Amino acid sequence: MSQEKLLEVTNLKQHFKTGRHSVVKAVDGITFDIYQGETFGLVGESGCGKSTTGRSIIRLYDATDGDVKFKGEDVHGKKSKKDLKKFNQKMQMIFQDPYASLNPRMTVLDIIAEGLDVHGLTPNDKERKARVENLLERVGLNKEHANRYPHEFSGGQRQRIGIARALAVDPEFIIADEPISALDVSIQAQVVNLLKDLQREHGYTYLFIAHDLSMVKYISDRIGVMYFGKMVELADSDELYKHPMHPYTKSLLSAIPLPDPDYERNRIRHSYDPSQHDSSEDPEFREIRPNHWVLCTTKEFEAYKQELTEK
Amino acid sequence: MDNILEVKNLHVSFDTHGGEVKAVRGVSFDLKKGETLAIVGESGSGKSVTTRALARLIPSPPGRIKEGEILLEGKDLAKLKEKQMQQIRGKDISTIFQDPMTSLNPTMKIGTQIMEGLIKHQKMSRSKAKERTIELMELVGLPNAKDRVDQYPHQFSGGQRQRVVIAIALACNPKVLIADEPTTALDVTIQAQILELMKDIQKKTDSSIIFITHDLGVVANVADRVAVMYAGKIVEIGTVDEIFYNPKHPYTWGLLGSMPTLDNEEESLVAIPGSPPDMLNPPKGDAFAPRNEFALEIDNEMEPPMFKVSDTHYAATWLLHEYAPKVEPPAVVKKRMKGFAASSDNEKGDEL
């Protein structure tokens, strides 16, 4: 993994108007970088803004404020059609629901080739078909599947089609928004292994959004934890699981049930109470040890540091 | 402990245009008083259909209970008329459904929905029922029960709604509580609260719970015994420790292997290849054989019977036959059998 920044998100805000005077601050000023070739996991409860973050990055929403830079170039803001196209080709998305994200009236061939057509990547029908068949094989399906419709596939197979569609235009960066939560356990492992293999072969960079913390730990190099539109902790995934500092991260980790009856009988749960924080000043994102960032006030910062050195 | 529920050789089929879908193909188990039995399996394995059949909630047509007995304290529910069943449903057997967003009536007040069973089954007066409703809401941990009893479902969050659904299910002190993926739609932190609540209530009321889930972590947390279902059959059943620390069926191995540990070492997950069989034409022999790397030749010919591992532990795989070759579970699974916690960096019960 090189340390070259592929994506820089700076103070990203995404607010939605829900009435004349009410605004939902789905994402409220988050900052992070994603390096070339890594998998960045984004976790949090439903409603914490993790999906909105992913969608804002790929411009499905226009950001309220803040910058998203992809390879040093600004993603948001005015752009010509040509620039947009170029950018859209480099960044692709895999959606959560494999049942809703494939057009039921299109064949698999047309679904996967749509991106190729838009970007004019295939000169003729023969090559178009060959490329789709190649993609199908890459994601573990047969080329005979090309002429079928989505309803003829199981959930896991559909998610493979969704992945093939994302890969079709040769992207560098892929946002996977809960790609496995709609799938069965045994199938989840298949899809996660596929994503990992593809990354090893082609060097893709992933933003992996999920609420299943054990899967996120398994696939990610670094993890960001979100709570109510804010990033509360960011660290290498081992570091985060070994030394969670923010009380919310602790509560989230202590809530994952592990498939081990003995462990479960003795589990201690931490519940999170937002009022336990020091309210004397606004918390800031601070680095408590190299590459480990926590949202905290100065006082908490000292306390966390203390806690870390004691360990 | 006495058996409160005995299921014997249950078969459930659905008649469709394509033919008969055999969703449940000969399921037998029993449930003791005060215990929690978890049923695990993939979607389509028949776990939900089994439990719906217990409460006679299979729509007919197209569905029907083809064969088998469901003995609740000796009374066969499979043979009851709908009218008689209505006396039992909600009173002796009640169900918590998966999705709290859709299992409540959006046009009815929460209190009225909880009261329904009390008035119908326990013949309580409205005012008495309301008192009890407020008690129930406090029992399931809903704050300000007095004010909230007159609110509508949309005024509650997902976790709170599931608490309401649990309150409805508990209203008449059921002997058997069926929980069909009660926490799947919830966040992990809320899930932990709901599981704690259910265990707590079980201790207080001594009811028996059948818990359906596909999350093995949840199983380890709540279950006393576990039944693993595949293609409409129970392929392995045993106490929770036997299933997790000494699994015998290759499908159970696969399920355990496909769960990630919180370990440091990067190892590949053992995915179970392929997908579950089409229940319109269940394969001959062992339905799991096509996905099973340990399949023997006999698996394609004959279905394996249940082999006894211990008094409480049974598994349906030919690998347990005396003539079968000795097969060890894959290394990754063996590691998991030693306990996930042991293989992770955190000590048991240590603060995470």
Side-chain angles (χ1 to χ4, degrees), chain A residues 63-98:
Chain A
T64 312
D65 195 13
D67 280 335
V68 178
K69 279 198 180 126
F70 182 73
K71 289 185 146 180
E73 266 181 77
D74 199 4
V75 171
H76 289 268
K78 266 213 171 102
K79 294 210 137 176
S80 68
K81 263 211 166 126
K82 210 174 127 218
D83 282 349
L84 260 184
K85 246 188 180 173
K86 198 179 86 199
F87 159 76
N88 284 342
Q89 195 191 328
K90 293 287 164 229
M91 203 187 275
Q92 285 287 314
M93 190 149 179
I94 300 166
F95 294 93
Q96 171 171 11
D97 187 348

Side-chain angles (χ1 to χ4, degrees), chain A residues 102-116 128 132-133 135-136 139 141-153 157-158 160-162 164-165 168:
Chain A
L102 301 177
N103 187 337
R105 297 170 54 150
M106 280 164 82
T107 61
V108 170
L109 177 72
D110 289 336
I111 289 173
I112 296 175
E114 200 174 11
L116 297 173
R128 178 175 183 257
V132 169
E133 286 174 354
L135 283 161
L136 282 172
V139 297
L141 295 167
N142 298 330
K143 56 182 182 196
E144 287 77 32
H145 288 144
N147 290 318
R148 295 202 198 160
Y149 288 88
H151 75 262
E152 296 173 66
F153 294 91
Q157 286 174 319
R158 283 180 209 218
R160 287 169 192 268
I161 296 170
R165 171 175 62 183

Side-chain angles (χ1 to χ4, degrees), chain B residues 167-213:
Chain B
I168 294 174
L170 289 174
C172 297
N173 292 324
K175 292 171 182 139
V176 178
L177 185 63
I178 297 168
D180 189 352
E181 309 231 9
T183 58
T184 309
L186 305 173
D187 282 316
V188 269
T189 45
I190 313 292
Q191 164 172 293
Q193 290 170 15
I194 297 285
L195 295 180
E196 210 105 300
L197 169 71
M198 289 184 64
K199 281 194 284 192
D200 203 38
I201 286 169
Q202 185 176 33
K203 247 181 244 154
K204 282 182 196 154
T205 59
D206 204 26
S207 54
S208 313
I209 299 180
I210 297 179
F211 200 105
I212 304 176
T213 178

Side-chain angles (χ1 to χ4, degrees), chain A residues 184 190 196 217 260 264-265, chain B residues 43 221 241 245 263 272:
Chain A
D184 270 316
Q190 288 179 11
K196 272 205 147 179
K217 160 81 163 70
D260 183 342
E264 284 298 323
R265 275 171 217 136
Chain B
S43 36
N221 186 290
D241 286 13
Y245 299 136
D263 207 333
I272 305 175

Side-chain angles (χ1 to χ4, degrees), chain A residues 45-46 184-186 190 193 196 217-218 238 241-242 253-254 257-266 268-269, chain B residues 42-43 187 189 191-192 196 214 217 221 241 244-245 263-264 266-269 272 274 339-341 349 352:
Chain A
E45 290 175 63
S46 47
D184 270 316
V185 200
S186 71
Q190 288 179 11
N193 282 345
K196 272 205 147 179
K217 160 81 163 70
Y218 174 70
D238 287 340
Y241 277 77
K242 264 194 217 154
L253 284 176
S254 75
L258 283 183
D260 183 342
D262 251 351
Y263 175 81
E264 284 298 323
R265 275 171 217 136
N266 303 315
I268 301 166
R269 263 184 51 224
Chain B
E42 300 175 66
S43 36
D187 282 316
T189 45
Q191 164 172 293
E196 210 105 300
H214 60 256
N221 186 290
D241 286 13
F244 280 91
Y245 299 136
D263 207 333
N264 276 339
E266 294 283 311
E267 53 195 19
S268 204
L269 299 176
I272 305 175
F340 270 64
L352 272 164

